[in-house]
Amino acid sequence: MLPVDQPCPLTLPVTRGMFQICDVRCCDWLVNICQRKRELKARTVWLGCPEKCEEKHPRNSIKNQKYNIFTFIPGVLYEQFKFFLNLYFLVVSCSQFVPALKIGYLYTYWAPLGFVLAVTIMREAIDEFRRFQRDKEVNSQLYSKLTVRGKVQVKSSDIQVGDLIIVEKNQRIPSDMVFLRTSEKAGSCFIRTDQLDGETDWKLKVAVSCTQRLPALGDLFSISAYVYAQKPQLDIHSFEGTFTREDSDPPIHESLSIENTLWANTIVASGTVIGVVIYTGKETRSVMNTSNPKNKVGLLDLELNQLTKALFVALVALSVVMVTLQGFVGPWYRSLFRFLLLFSYIIPISLRVNLDMGKAAYGWMIMKDESIPGTVVRTSTIPEELGRLVYLLTDKTGTLTQNEMVFKRLHLGTVSYGADTMDEIQGHLRNPCPQMQSQAGGNNASSTPPRKAQSSAPKVRKSVSSRVHEAVKAIALCHNVSPVYESRAGVGGEAEYAEADQDFSDGNRTYQAASPDEVALVQWTESVGLTLVSRDLGSVQLRTPSGQIQTYCILQMFPFTSESKRMGVIVRDESTAEITFYMKGADVAMSSIVQYNDWLEEECGNMAREGLRTLVVAKRALTEEQYQDFESRYSQAKLSIHDRALKVAAVVESLERQMELLCLTGVEDRLQADVRPTLELLRNAGIKIWMLTGDKLETATCIAKSSHLVSRTQDIHIFRPVTNRGEAHLELNAFRRKHDCALVISGDSLEVCLKYYEHELAELACQCPAVVCCRCSPTQKARIAKLLQHHTGKRTCAVGDGGNDVSMIQAADCGIGIEGKEGRQASLAADFSVTQFRHIGRLLMVHGRSSYKRSAALGQFVMHRGLIISTMQAVFSSVFYFASVPLYQGFLMVGYATIYTMFPVFSLVLDQDVKPETAMLYPELYKDLTKGRSLSFKTFLVWVLISIYQGGILMYGALLLFESEFVHVLAISFTALILTELLMVALTIRTWHWLMAVAEVLSLGCYVASLAFLNEYFDVAFITTVTFVWKVSAITMVSCLPLYVLKYLKRKLSPPSYTKLTS
């Protein structure tokens, strides 16, 4: 029996286990409290009643700052001391507060460390303040909020979920909203989404019909309605929700989709809109698609960090050897620590100072380069990265292209019209078409016979004039473009504007459409004489060259989709009652739909080679009976519950048979200036270019060809759409069998492949000469950048110009923003900002090269400067019975690292191995940089051997040649050391600059002048003797002459590649 107060042995483990479970749960609870990551939920939002929200939602403020007032100092210090180099100096400096370990004066350690930290904190503070100012500007924008008492002005950051916000034309939408009302009569408006998805096509948005029908704006408060919205998501192309009005009988329910939403950071392009806020701040689509900026660290900095660790190991080994040779006498651990401090100059603190100042100098040189005006360096810590890039990820719209569409060619099969022959088309249109006249003059009631004649028309050769008439009319009717006339009156907040005072003249008309191609086509028809004057949901009006207005009733519209690759419209001519089905689309989709012909495929190929975007236009005449039959089947298909999309497509396809081919059009998306030579330059430099765009597959492929991203002779493998693992596996296998071909893949397929076969896809894609990813979301772009970094270990650069490129720019090792039509969001988030894509060539070939080469030389020379003095200290200590006594003290050590050698060493930032013209002419030279040969363990080892040789010669020479007094050893060795360093800088320089010579002379002058004041360390009487001069000269000669001979021999026997080009 156990005593009463003693627990049963079986219960002990159980009790202990319970305590452990409680412990773990408490820890988890604490972690959750600390992280406080809110779970995203669906919500019910009452119109105009933010106070009815059940949950607390985030503030609608934009925050791009890295720190706040409390985390700034700790954050900056952490970023500094996470580097081994800086942490080592902090420990060494702190050790000088211990009397037994004190080697010299405190300022010799603390002054350089304090300087480094002060510069870093100042730089970060300035950057942080600029970010704060940019955020404040966006958050302070004023908007009109609708309340029961009328309109009030609110700041963007004060907008809440449930608020009714009025957004004027050309104003930024401040938060994610559901579109309730618009001033446009049609109940729809256009918005520009270039800052969200990179597409400059305007998107058509439709207001909720229930609220659009209300008589007045104030009636929004007289109804009881709410919106049910799904939880916040990343996907910018989808939305599910419902609108419910409770106070009607029965209650009205409307389903909401993506076309009823207005996402934050998009711009209203037409009319005034009123929306109810559903997501704010961190929950908006644009913020969820933006990644947090990371602190970028250059590859060169990481390599130097590795080398300092190697130096630290050498330092510890040397100190242990010294203590061992000393025989571990007395408190040996104190001697060990003193030796560690004595040899601490092996790792020079001036390394960080020199490199940071060098980076600032490179940034200044980039911004002052007149060949790339307007270039701004926003991240001054990574200029060397520009010289190490292997992958360049670029956006398409606005980066490679200007996004300006121009109509270039019309081909009718037998005749082709280009830019110089458009006046012939105008001539044809001015003369009324004979066929059209006869039809117009005929009896409308008996309009069947001419239609029958028309169906057999292919047998009869039509005149060129009538074919031109038909082609231009088809282009003017088959589109989704709306002409818009600017109102002369001031725009108010009401939804009911009088349109009587609008100016309907040609000069006041602008076209709005979901695609710039469409606008280009309609603008062209206007230029040749057939003008689109008005359009609403049910009719289109055209004006002929003679001024006659033709009205067409729109019976059906079939919008363009990426699956069908075509769009169609069925119209009825009001004057003749003829019904015509017009269709236009990509040649791959249309070639099987149109009647047999022998020219379409060949001409499409010819236009594509010219970089033109082609569209095939066709038509089919329908009788009234044919149309009525189609309409009944079409309506039935649209009402079906199961497989609705398939059934609708099948009904439409029944019309798409034996259509009459009218023409082929060619539209050019103008490329940015010098895009082709720049891409060729980058390719020759060994840089692999990936184009990541939110645009359609056909457009992306066309631009890839026209910009010569994909060369003309190269095959293109278009990755078929895949939805599951099996399909992805088959498609990857098909792609594996292809060799040396460019890859084109869509964002959806990419997502599936990354989910199941990330490694295989990365491996195959990295072997391609070029990759095009279309329909990419902002997060996918960033993910591709990270994928390349992870799988290849190579440096990536991202180039973009829109808000949708910010995530990619921040994820890449080096981000370049282009200031373009899509705003400045990308250029502000980037590390480097340029005004044109062509400037990237010079930025990488010239500035990237020189920054990397200079920093590598500078870093290694500063290390050499520390190693040589540590070698002298080791020789000195070993000669004098391994005493842990410093060779040079106080000002000599400070002077050596500063005024005596600083200017010549820092002047290495002006050195260049190749002239800028040569670097641009021979981009192949860039390939060598990516191998990292300028700074490697091999080059570092060479410098270590040079330091050991020179340090040994200087110290042993001084000890051999001194006669009576020890103070002479100091004078001879220190003077020879300074002269050796100045001569070594001269040896390292490849191209002399006048400032380098000034720095050499100035430093030598400073040293000679300071000898008069250094009587504490030197015997001034001895310094002025001839003996001193010859001894110093002899030692310096022995330490430097062999190296000059070796350099001369290396240049003769194994010259670097660039010298062959410059000779």
Side-chain angles (χ1 to χ4, degrees):
M1 283 287 288
L2 284 165
V4 178
D5 57 344
Q6 194 175 334
C8 170
L10 288 171
T11 61
L12 279 169
V14 176
T15 315
R16 197 178 296 123
M18 287 188 67
F19 273 119
Q20 282 176 341
I21 290 166
C22 289
D23 233 19
V24 168
R25 284 183 180 169
C26 287
C27 289
D28 288 348
W29 179 74
L30 279 168
V31 166
N32 288 333
I33 288 291
C34 293
Q35 290 179 338
R36 270 174 54 205
K37 192 153 189 182
R38 289 179 64 251
E39 189 187 343
L40 300 174
K41 292 181 181 175
R43 72 263 324 254
T44 300
V45 180
W46 291 84
L47 268 57
C49 304
E51 65 280 356
K52 281 193 182 181
C53 286
E54 297 157 11
E55 294 215 3
K56 198 177 175 193
H57 300 294
R59 280 190 75 222
N60 193 45
S61 57
I62 288 173
K63 187 174 184 290
N64 288 312
Q65 290 159 257
K66 290 184 192 172
Y67 311 103
N68 60 36
I69 200 160
F70 301 110
T71 59
F72 178 70
I73 295 292
V76 172
L77 290 178
Y78 168 73
E79 286 300 326
Q80 283 305 299
F81 292 123
K82 76 177 181 184
F83 280 107
F84 176 76
L85 184 69
N86 294 0
L87 186 63
Y88 167 75
F89 284 121
L90 183 67
V91 173
V92 168
S93 302
C94 290
S95 72
Q96 292 304 288
F97 290 116
V98 181
L101 302 175
K102 194 171 180 190
I103 295 285
Y105 300 104
L106 273 177
Y107 69 83
T108 59
Y109 290 94
W110 279 101
L113 186 66
F115 177 72
V116 174
L117 289 179
V119 168
T120 307
I121 289 171
M122 282 290 289
R123 191 178 62 210
E124 273 296 329
I126 291 166
D127 287 351
E128 192 68 2
F129 183 67
R130 283 179 183 157
R131 280 192 284 268
F132 165 74
Q133 282 185 312
R134 288 201 295 270
D135 291 347
K136 189 178 176 185
E137 189 183 329
V138 175
N139 292 331
S140 301
Q141 286 178 348
L142 292 176
Y143 290 88
S144 295
K145 173 178 156 183
L146 207 62
T147 64
V148 183
R149 295 180 296 282
K151 277 184 260 174
V152 293
Q153 295 284 303
V154 289
K155 283 184 185 175
S156 172
S157 56
D158 293 336
I159 289 172
Q160 296 173 285
V161 171
D163 282 345
L164 297 177
I165 302 295
I166 299 168
V167 187
E168 307 285 353
K169 184 179 176 181
N170 292 328
Q171 206 175 7
R172 181 184 76 90
I173 293 169
S175 55
D176 289 356
M177 308 198 293
V178 165
F179 183 15
L180 299 178
R181 257 176 106 72
T182 174
S183 57
E184 301 286 292
K185 274 198 309 183
S188 60
C189 80
F190 282 100
I191 63 163
R192 298 201 300 270
T193 61
D194 44 27
Q195 290 295 324
L196 188 66
D197 59 12
E199 293 186 47
T200 47
D201 312 349
W202 290 8
K203 307 288 188 298
L204 185 72
K205 297 290 178 178
V206 181
V208 175
S209 57
C210 174
T211 47
Q212 180 65 25
R213 286 196 303 265
L214 294 173
L217 198 58
D219 293 342
L220 285 169
F221 284 99
S222 64
I223 64 169
S224 173
Y226 64 84
V227 168
Y228 175 78
Q230 65 179 157
K231 69 177 184 181
Q233 287 182 333
L234 276 171
D235 189 359
I236 55 175
H237 299 298
S238 70
F239 173 74
E240 288 174 13
T242 53
F243 175 87
T244 306
R245 181 176 174 182
E246 284 191 327
D247 57 349
S248 63
D249 193 24
I252 297 171
H253 298 283
E254 271 189 56
S255 71
L256 302 177
S257 66
I258 187 69
E259 65 178 11
N260 307 113
T261 59
L262 304 168
W263 295 146
N265 278 353
T266 56
I267 309 287
V268 176
S270 64
T272 300
V273 304
I274 294 95
V276 59
V277 176
I278 53 170
Y279 308 124
T280 52
K282 291 182 220 167
E283 295 179 344
T284 59
R285 294 288 204 269
S286 61
V287 174
M288 289 179 83
N289 272 287
T290 306
S291 55
N292 291 324
K294 64 172 183 178
N295 281 316
K296 296 186 182 180
V297 179
L299 186 57
L300 184 106
D301 292 324
L302 296 172
E303 288 168 345
L304 284 169
N305 202 39
Q306 292 299 103
L307 293 182
T308 47
K309 287 176 185 174
L311 285 174
F312 179 71
V313 172
L315 163 68
V316 172
L318 185 58
S319 303
V320 170
V321 168
M322 283 293 180
V323 174
T324 309
L325 293 171
Q326 205 179 35
F328 293 102
V329 180
W332 61 269
Y333 50 86
R334 189 186 298 172
S335 299
L336 177 67
F337 212 97
R338 281 180 68 85
F339 274 123
L340 284 171
L341 294 170
L342 277 177
F343 299 137
S344 65
Y345 283 94
I346 284 182
I347 307 173
I349 189 161
S350 52
L351 181 63
R352 273 252 71 84
V353 183
N354 277 290
L355 285 175
D356 284 354
M357 284 163 60
K359 289 171 196 284
Y362 310 143
W364 184 82
M365 288 174 199
I366 290 170
M367 291 197 274
K368 289 292 174 189
D369 188 345
E370 290 176 5
S371 302
I372 46 173
T375 303
V376 181
V377 178
R378 298 193 192 279
T379 306
S380 57
T381 54
I382 55 167
E384 300 91 359
E385 290 294 273
L386 294 169
R388 311 287 296 275
L389 302 173
V390 179
Y391 289 96
L392 185 91
L393 312 176
T394 173
D395 179 38
K396 177 189 72 72
T397 313
T399 303
L400 297 179
T401 67
Q402 296 179 20
N403 209 44
E404 285 179 10
M405 304 294 171
V406 183
F407 190 95
K408 284 284 183 183
R409 186 149 307 163
L410 180 74
H411 206 293
L412 301 174
T414 53
V415 62
S416 172
Y417 297 98
D420 48 350
T421 50
M422 292 299 178
D423 51 342
E424 290 183 31
I425 296 178
Q426 286 178 325
H428 285 307
L429 290 176
R430 284 198 193 98
N431 305 323
C433 176
Q435 272 185 341
M436 289 171 77
Q437 278 183 315
S438 64
Q439 282 176 14
N443 185 1
N444 288 350
S446 60
S447 55
T448 318
R451 214 172 276 114
K452 279 181 182 166
Q454 214 174 23
S455 62
S456 59
K459 294 171 188 172
V460 181
R461 197 83 184 247
K462 291 184 183 175
S463 70
V464 170
S465 181
S466 67
R467 283 161 63 208
V468 167
H469 268 272
E470 284 181 9
V472 176
K473 184 168 84 170
I475 295 168
L477 286 171
C478 186
H479 53 71
N480 62 3
V481 182
S482 302
V484 174
Y485 300 90
E486 294 295 320
S487 173
R488 284 180 304 216
V491 180
E494 281 291 315
E496 299 72 49
Y497 306 125
E499 299 212 353
D501 55 0
Q502 283 193 342
D503 179 3
F504 287 97
S505 65
D506 286 357
N508 191 45
R509 179 174 52 247
T510 55
Y511 294 113
Q512 291 177 349
S515 164
D517 303 51
E518 300 264 76
V519 174
L521 292 171
V522 172
Q523 283 174 338
W524 174 77
T525 63
E526 182 184 353
S527 72
V528 294
L530 194 62
T531 309
L532 174 69
V533 287
S534 83
R535 180 200 177 113
D536 54 37
L537 296 172
S539 68
V540 176
Q541 286 190 331
L542 304 178
R543 188 174 65 226
T544 61
S546 60
Q548 180 189 350
I549 298 288
Q550 295 179 346
T551 305
Y552 296 87
C553 178
I554 300 173
L555 301 175
Q556 296 289 348
M557 272 291 289
F558 313 111
F560 179 92
T561 65
S562 52
E563 289 77 36
S564 69
K565 297 183 177 59
R566 55 190 182 268
M567 71 152 300
V569 61
I570 300 178
V571 294
R572 179 190 275 120
D573 186 340
E574 295 284 328
S575 60
T576 63
E578 283 182 356
I579 299 172
T580 314
F581 173 36
Y582 290 107
M583 177 162 271
K584 70 166 186 241
D587 54 309
V588 285
M590 297 290 289
S591 54
S592 60
I593 292 170
V594 296
Q595 291 168 346
Y596 174 75
N597 62 83
D598 55 4
W599 60 271
L600 182 62
E601 190 178 345
E602 186 185 345
E603 288 305 327
C604 280
N606 291 341
M607 285 194 193
R609 277 188 286 279
E610 289 177 45
L612 301 180
R613 298 158 76 148
T614 54
L615 282 173
V616 179
V617 185
K619 78 164 192 177
R620 181 182 171 188
L622 301 175
T623 62
E624 189 68 43
E625 298 80 46
Q626 283 174 326
Y627 174 69
Q628 292 301 337
D629 172 53
F630 164 78
E631 191 187 31
S632 65
R633 287 186 294 123
Y634 187 63
S635 303
Q636 210 170 347
K638 282 208 292 188
L639 290 171
S640 62
I641 305 294
H642 303 294
D643 301 327
R644 181 187 297 180
L646 286 172
K647 286 177 181 172
V648 167
V651 174
V652 176
E653 276 173 26
S654 67
L655 278 186
E656 297 170 351
R657 288 184 190 146
Q658 291 294 300
M659 295 187 74
E660 184 188 342
L661 174 59
L662 296 177
C663 64
L664 176 68
T665 64
V667 175
E668 180 186 49
D669 185 357
R670 283 184 177 164
L671 294 172
Q672 294 271 10
D674 292 335
V675 157
R676 289 184 187 125
T678 304
L679 289 176
E680 193 176 340
L681 176 92
L682 295 172
R683 232 191 343 261
N684 291 341
I687 296 171
K688 291 189 175 181
I689 302 157
W690 289 34
M691 185 167 88
L692 314 180
T693 174
D695 222 328
K696 296 187 283 288
L697 186 136
E698 296 78 22
T699 315
T701 312
C702 189
I703 294 299
K705 286 177 183 171
S706 65
S707 66
H708 295 181
L709 175 71
V710 176
S711 61
R712 291 184 178 188
T713 54
Q714 224 160 46
D715 285 337
I716 293 181
H717 177 81
I718 295 177
F719 205 90
R720 284 192 303 110
V722 295
T723 52
N724 57 47
R725 186 172 188 153
E727 289 177 0
H729 181 72
L730 290 170
E731 194 57 28
L732 281 168
N733 282 343
F735 177 45
R736 189 177 271 110
R737 289 192 284 273
K738 300 278 181 80
H739 293 287
D740 192 46
C741 74
L743 170 68
V744 179
I745 186 168
S746 69
D748 295 338
S749 302
L750 182 77
E751 197 69 39
V752 175
C753 291
L754 289 179
K755 187 176 177 183
Y756 300 112
Y757 298 108
E758 185 179 290
H759 181 74
E760 289 83 350
L761 179 72
E763 193 182 337
L764 288 170
C766 289
Q767 291 167 6
C768 293
V771 177
V772 177
C773 299
C774 53
R775 287 280 172 213
C776 268
S777 69
T779 40
Q780 277 176 333
K781 288 184 179 185
R783 198 169 163 197
I784 292 167
K786 287 172 185 165
L787 179 80
L788 284 174
Q789 290 164 351
H790 176 65
H791 276 275
T792 64
K794 307 286 190 209
R795 307 315 267 176
T796 57
C797 173
V799 186
D801 70 320
N804 64 310
D805 303 317
V806 170
S807 294
M808 170 176 77
I809 282 170
Q810 290 175 340
D813 297 301
C814 170
I816 299 175
I818 296 176
E819 287 192 19
K821 290 181 177 176
E822 298 189 16
R824 298 183 63 218
Q825 203 170 341
S827 78
L828 289 172
D831 306 306
F832 302 90
S833 168
V834 294
T835 52
Q836 291 181 45
F837 184 82
R838 64 193 172 115
H839 291 170
I840 291 170
R842 186 175 174 87
L843 189 65
L844 269 55
M845 300 302 119
V846 177
H847 293 289
R849 177 186 190 83
S850 55
S851 298
Y852 169 57
K853 287 270 188 182
R854 288 163 177 172
S855 279
L858 181 64
Q860 290 178 123
F861 202 94
V862 172
M863 285 181 177
H864 154 75
R865 193 172 65 180
L867 277 165
I868 193 170
I869 204 163
S870 298
T871 306
M872 292 172 76
Q873 175 69 54
V875 172
F876 172 76
S877 291
S878 56
V879 168
F880 289 96
Y881 309 104
F882 308 105
S884 54
V885 178
L887 170 59
Y888 305 122
Q889 289 195 348
F891 184 75
L892 286 184
M893 289 307 290
V894 175
Y896 171 67
T898 54
I899 58 167
Y900 298 154
T901 59
M902 184 175 77
F903 298 115
V905 171
F906 187 67
S907 71
L908 289 171
V909 301
L910 299 168
D911 191 19
Q912 62 178 30
D913 59 342
V914 173
K915 286 184 178 169
E917 298 76 33
T918 312
M920 292 294 286
L921 193 59
Y922 300 104
E924 291 79 7
L925 289 170
Y926 189 88
K927 287 180 188 174
D928 284 346
L929 303 181
T930 56
K931 294 166 186 168
R933 287 175 181 165
S934 297
L935 178 71
S936 61
F937 271 103
K938 182 185 170 184
T939 58
F940 171 64
L941 203 59
V942 170
W943 276 106
V944 169
L945 294 173
I946 290 171
S947 306
I948 292 170
Y949 166 74
Q950 290 186 327
I953 292 291
L954 292 173
M955 201 62 231
Y956 274 119
L959 290 167
L960 282 172
L961 296 176
F962 95 102
E963 286 154 7
S964 52
E965 295 190 40
F966 172 68
V967 75
H968 294 176
V969 175
L970 285 184
I972 294 167
S973 63
F974 194 77
T975 308
L977 173 65
I978 298 296
L979 289 174
T980 299
E981 283 300 290
L982 297 181
L983 287 169
M984 283 302 291
V985 170
L987 179 72
T988 310
I989 288 167
R990 286 165 290 221
T991 311
W992 281 86
H993 187 281
W994 65 270
L995 278 172
M996 292 171 167
V998 169
E1000 291 267 318
V1001 174
L1002 184 68
S1003 294
L1004 188 60
C1006 283
Y1007 179 63
V1008 172
S1010 68
L1011 287 175
F1013 308 103
L1014 296 175
N1015 48 8
E1016 182 187 341
Y1017 305 102
F1018 300 153
D1019 179 358
V1020 180
F1022 173 67
I1023 288 168
T1024 52
T1025 62
V1026 177
T1027 313
F1028 171 76
V1029 174
W1030 81 257
K1031 286 179 177 178
V1032 167
S1033 303
I1035 293 170
T1036 308
M1037 188 76 74
V1038 175
S1039 77
C1040 291
L1041 191 61
L1043 296 171
Y1044 271 82
V1045 173
L1046 284 169
K1047 182 181 178 181
Y1048 176 77
L1049 289 172
K1050 187 172 185 282
R1051 279 265 169 102
K1052 281 287 172 195
L1053 301 171
S1054 170
S1057 53
Y1058 57 83
T1059 54
K1060 297 166 191 169
L1061 301 172
T1062 51
S1063 57

Short mmCIF file of all heavy atoms in Angstrom, two decimals, residues 8-18 20:
data_model
loop_
_atom_site.label_atom_id
_atom_site.label_comp_id
_atom_site.label_asym_id
_atom_site.label_seq_id
_atom_site.Cartn_x
_atom_site.Cartn_y
_atom_site.Cartn_z
N CYS A 8 0.14 7.78 -7.09
CA CYS A 8 0.34 6.47 -7.72
C CYS A 8 1.37 6.61 -8.85
O CYS A 8 1.30 7.57 -9.62
CB CYS A 8 -1.01 5.99 -8.28
SG CYS A 8 -0.84 4.54 -9.33
N PRO A 9 2.31 5.65 -8.99
CA PRO A 9 3.34 5.76 -10.05
C PRO A 9 2.74 5.84 -11.44
O PRO A 9 3.29 6.46 -12.33
CB PRO A 9 4.15 4.47 -9.89
CG PRO A 9 3.83 3.93 -8.55
CD PRO A 9 2.50 4.44 -8.17
N LEU A 10 1.58 5.21 -11.66
CA LEU A 10 0.95 5.24 -12.99
C LEU A 10 0.44 6.63 -13.35
O LEU A 10 0.38 7.00 -14.51
CB LEU A 10 -0.21 4.24 -13.04
CG LEU A 10 0.20 2.75 -13.08
CD1 LEU A 10 -1.03 1.88 -12.91
CD2 LEU A 10 0.92 2.42 -14.38
N THR A 11 0.02 7.37 -12.30
CA THR A 11 -0.56 8.70 -12.58
C THR A 11 0.52 9.74 -12.88
O THR A 11 0.25 10.78 -13.46
CB THR A 11 -1.41 9.21 -11.39
OG1 THR A 11 -0.56 9.32 -10.26
CG2 THR A 11 -2.55 8.29 -11.11
N LEU A 12 1.80 9.43 -12.48
CA LEU A 12 2.87 10.43 -12.68
C LEU A 12 3.07 10.79 -14.16
O LEU A 12 3.04 11.96 -14.53
CB LEU A 12 4.19 9.92 -12.07
CG LEU A 12 4.31 10.14 -10.55
CD1 LEU A 12 5.51 9.40 -9.99
CD2 LEU A 12 4.42 11.62 -10.23
N PRO A 13 3.25 9.76 -15.05
CA PRO A 13 3.43 10.10 -16.47
C PRO A 13 2.21 10.82 -17.04
O PRO A 13 2.33 11.74 -17.83
CB PRO A 13 3.63 8.76 -17.16
CG PRO A 13 3.80 7.73 -16.09
CD PRO A 13 3.33 8.32 -14.81
N VAL A 14 1.02 10.41 -16.62
CA VAL A 14 -0.21 11.04 -17.12
C VAL A 14 -0.23 12.52 -16.75
O VAL A 14 -0.50 13.39 -17.56
CB VAL A 14 -1.46 10.32 -16.54
CG1 VAL A 14 -2.73 11.03 -16.98
CG2 VAL A 14 -1.47 8.86 -16.99
N THR A 15 0.09 12.78 -15.46
CA THR A 15 0.10 14.17 -14.96
C THR A 15 1.13 14.99 -15.72
O THR A 15 0.86 16.12 -16.15
CB THR A 15 0.43 14.20 -13.44
OG1 THR A 15 -0.32 13.19 -12.82
CG2 THR A 15 0.10 15.54 -12.85
N ARG A 16 2.32 14.35 -15.91
CA ARG A 16 3.39 15.08 -16.61
C ARG A 16 2.95 15.39 -18.04
O ARG A 16 3.17 16.48 -18.56
CB ARG A 16 4.66 14.21 -16.62
CG ARG A 16 5.92 15.02 -16.94
CD ARG A 16 7.19 14.17 -16.90
NE ARG A 16 7.46 13.66 -15.57
CZ ARG A 16 7.60 12.36 -15.29
NH1 ARG A 16 7.49 11.46 -16.24
NH2 ARG A 16 7.84 11.95 -14.06
N GLY A 17 2.30 14.40 -18.67
CA GLY A 17 1.82 14.59 -20.06
C GLY A 17 0.82 15.73 -20.15
O GLY A 17 0.85 16.53 -21.07
N MET A 18 -0.09 15.79 -19.12
CA MET A 18 -1.10 16.86 -19.12
C MET A 18 -0.44 18.23 -19.00
O MET A 18 -0.84 19.19 -19.65
CB MET A 18 -2.10 16.64 -17.99
CG MET A 18 -3.05 15.48 -18.29
SD MET A 18 -4.38 15.33 -17.10
CE MET A 18 -5.31 16.80 -17.39
N GLN A 20 2.54 18.96 -20.00
CA GLN A 20 3.21 19.26 -21.27
C GLN A 20 2.20 19.78 -22.30
O GLN A 20 2.47 20.75 -23.01
CB GLN A 20 3.90 18.00 -21.82
CG GLN A 20 5.22 17.69 -21.10
CD GLN A 20 5.84 16.38 -21.59
OE1 GLN A 20 5.15 15.55 -22.17
NE2 GLN A 20 7.12 16.22 -21.33
#
